Amino acid sequence: MTHTADLIVHADRAVVDGIEQPATVVVNAGRVAAVLTGPDTSGEIGWQATATVTLDADHVLLPGMVDTHVHVNEPGRTDWEGFATATRAALAGGTTTIVDMPLNSLPPTTTAAALETKRDAARPQVWVDVGFWGGAIPGNLDDLEKLDAAGVFGFKCFLADSGVPEFPPLAADELVTYLRRCAELDALLIVHAEDAATLAATPPTQSNRYTDFTASRPDAGEVTAIEAVIAAAEETGGRAHILHLSSAAALPAIRAARERGVRLTVETCPHYLTFTAETIRDGSTAHKCCPPIRSDANRSQLWEALADGTIDCVVSDHSPSTIDLKQGDLASAWGGVASVQLALSAVWTEARRRGHTLADVTGWMASAPADLVGLRQKGRIAVGADADLVAYSPDVETAVDAATLQHKSKLTAYQDLTLAGRADRIWLRGNEIGLDRSPTGTLLRHERTP
């Protein structure tokens, strides 16, 4: 018996079930209907499709990447970034799902009404699928349940100054209170983990040396804050996630907590895996981020922690601003790296140099972030999953030119770096999409499951 389908993709190389192998992927009604693996899958498979695509040996079929840490900033600071430009940048880099951070937009996503304002702004102009985080700030404890019911994927908080006045940090006792409320909701609390007291005790630098800027945001700031998150999670039973880990000095505490059963997950970012403080040009505000990029030895330890599973996933922390805010000196410039378009290629470039596979990278950047936020239908090529697919050329090398990037402000820490990998064809829920077409992304809600 022959079944009908919308699309069949044959690939000699595909990342399926955690390994690279030949596969034929059958797509119907936006979902993966069948996956056949092995060298003979391109023959008679019992399906007849409206369209058939056969990839050459230079391409690897991947699931679309899932980036759960993107600052879109619209509405309110749309001159920094917007849904159209951010999602076009994601698409160009092979990312088919993003989750938007609750701050830098005005209003911040700290109430259900603000969430609807943001959804209204996003709805007509997203090229990829988009979900939303809620915010946890002093005074909005009673808003968490309403935001959760409205479908946010969890709640973000800071333990130190966020950089914008409308999103203040939680104090130590508030962290426990908010994590307890999240535990009652079975919601995830994601934490910018730098300790305010440690930062306040560290003299701010007026130097433009990057290593001096790194020293002004010391490892101790991350370690102390992460220990506080661990203690709060242990006390409340809540689920906590450490954002953008930069300091390897926190890894022993993270490993010990997980061995004790603390509900803790951890991410890091492409810039921490690519750059080192010793080699960044002094005064390079494009590389300024908080927490900062640290030493080469620190970078190697982060890679080891990825390999052994201590760090769960890699996401961009795409945090752009207008170019004027990135000018000046390291002390005053806006802290953020714009990288959603380059994230996959940046990580793949360094990963292959260290002997990791494209399947490893796909796990860190597709399935693991999807699992983090409960998007089980994303980030994998599997029966029942959304047919978000990328035909990826892993060996193509390109010198980065900021002028060609899709995000709004044409500034990048990766300028002139040669990166490997290019997303050549992309399907979103079974439909081929591209920058020359109309936006077809949808807005995602977190659906509670029993």
Side-chain angles (χ1 to χ4, degrees):
M1 180 179 177
T2 299
H3 303 280
T4 59
D6 297 324
L7 172 68
I8 292 175
V9 182
H10 302 293
D12 290 336
R13 304 169 65 191
V15 174
V16 177
D17 295 332
I19 60 173
E20 187 177 308
Q21 57 183 316
T24 292
V25 180
V26 180
V27 177
N28 198 45
R31 296 284 183 100
V32 176
V35 181
L36 298 92
T37 57
D40 301 320
T41 59
S42 61
E44 177 56 48
I45 61 171
W47 291 85
Q48 184 174 6
T50 304
T52 300
V53 173
T54 300
L55 301 184
D56 61 37
D58 293 331
H59 286 88
V60 182
L61 187 66
L62 305 178
M65 300 300 111
V66 177
D67 193 338
T68 55
H69 196 148
V70 178
H71 293 267
V72 176
N73 306 335
E74 185 177 3
R77 292 190 175 99
T78 311
D79 55 335
W80 294 21
E81 184 65 287
F83 283 103
T85 47
T87 57
R88 284 174 63 88
L91 168 59
T95 294
T96 53
T97 301
I98 67 169
V99 185
D100 170 66
M101 283 291 166
L103 73 156
N104 299 344
S105 58
L106 293 169
T109 317
T110 53
T111 67
L115 173 64
E116 285 312 304
T117 298
K118 182 171 281 193
R119 282 180 169 150
D120 289 343
R123 191 170 288 109
Q125 55 173 335
V126 293
W127 260 258
V128 301
D129 288 355
V130 178
F132 301 91
W133 294 106
I137 63 172
N140 85 324
L141 184 66
D142 291 338
D143 290 293
L144 301 194
E145 186 172 2
K146 295 174 185 177
L147 281 162
D148 182 68
V152 298
F153 285 86
F155 302 96
K156 179 178 185 176
C157 71
F158 281 74
L159 302 184
D161 181 20
S162 72
V164 291
E166 66 277 0
F167 206 97
L170 297 181
D173 59 336
E174 291 172 318
L175 172 65
V176 174
T177 300
Y178 276 69
L179 191 50
R180 181 171 287 113
R181 179 62 56 86
C182 287
E184 293 167 356
L185 297 170
D186 193 27
L188 182 65
L189 184 69
I190 63 175
V191 185
H192 181 123
E194 287 185 285
D195 179 62
T198 303
L199 297 182
T202 305
T205 180
Q206 300 304 315
S207 165
N208 245 358
R209 293 180 59 206
Y210 197 88
T211 50
D212 290 343
F213 168 66
T214 296
S216 75
R217 316 277 303 203
D219 294 83
E222 283 190 82
V223 172
T224 300
I226 288 169
E227 288 174 344
V229 174
I230 290 168
E234 207 153 20
E235 178 179 341
T236 64
R239 293 189 293 133
H241 177 74
I242 303 300
L243 296 166
H244 46 50
L245 179 72
S246 85
S247 175
L251 292 171
I254 291 167
R255 290 188 175 108
R258 288 161 69 128
E259 287 172 2
R260 295 196 304 273
V262 177
R263 302 172 76 190
L264 185 73
T265 49
V266 182
E267 70 183 39
T268 193
C269 304
H271 39 284
Y272 301 129
L273 299 172
T274 300
F275 301 109
T276 63
E278 303 95 329
T279 58
I280 293 173
R281 176 179 55 81
D282 289 342
S284 180
T285 56
H287 291 86
K288 180 183 177 181
C289 53
C290 300
I293 296 163
R294 303 191 188 275
S295 69
D296 181 60
N298 182 90
R299 176 179 65 163
S300 292
Q301 291 179 68
L302 294 180
W303 276 103
E304 291 167 5
L306 263 177
D308 69 22
T310 304
I311 298 175
D312 299 272
C313 56
V314 183
V315 291
S316 70
D317 188 10
H318 177 71
S319 185
S321 69
T322 55
I323 290 177
D324 64 299
L325 291 177
K326 290 293 282 183
Q327 293 175 341
D329 56 33
L330 285 170
S332 61
W334 175 258
V337 175
S339 60
V340 66
Q341 182 169 337
L342 302 172
L344 173 56
S345 290
V347 175
W348 168 235
T349 299
E350 186 65 21
R352 71 173 186 173
R353 187 178 76 82
R354 292 173 179 268
H356 298 292
T357 67
L358 199 50
D360 294 331
V361 172
T362 299
W364 298 327
M365 301 189 73
S367 58
D371 290 348
L372 173 72
V373 296
L375 284 171
R376 302 293 179 178
Q377 79 277 21
K378 298 288 189 183
R380 69 209 76 226
I381 299 174
V383 173
D386 286 354
D388 301 343
L389 306 171
V390 178
Y392 195 69
S393 296
D395 299 321
V396 171
E397 296 188 340
T398 306
V400 175
D401 178 3
T404 67
L405 299 178
Q406 295 295 321
H407 63 253
K408 185 163 288 186
S409 295
K410 306 306 182 186
L411 178 72
T412 176
Y414 295 87
Q415 179 68 35
D416 297 327
L417 217 62
T418 297
L419 299 181
R422 185 181 67 204
D424 287 332
R425 298 180 71 177
I426 301 175
W427 293 263
L428 180 64
R429 285 171 277 105
N431 296 308
E432 189 163 7
I433 58 175
L435 299 176
D436 58 341
R437 309 184 185 198
S438 298
T440 58
T442 63
L443 304 187
L444 305 172
R445 298 169 58 95
H446 186 255
E447 302 293 345
R448 291 290 175 207
T449 55

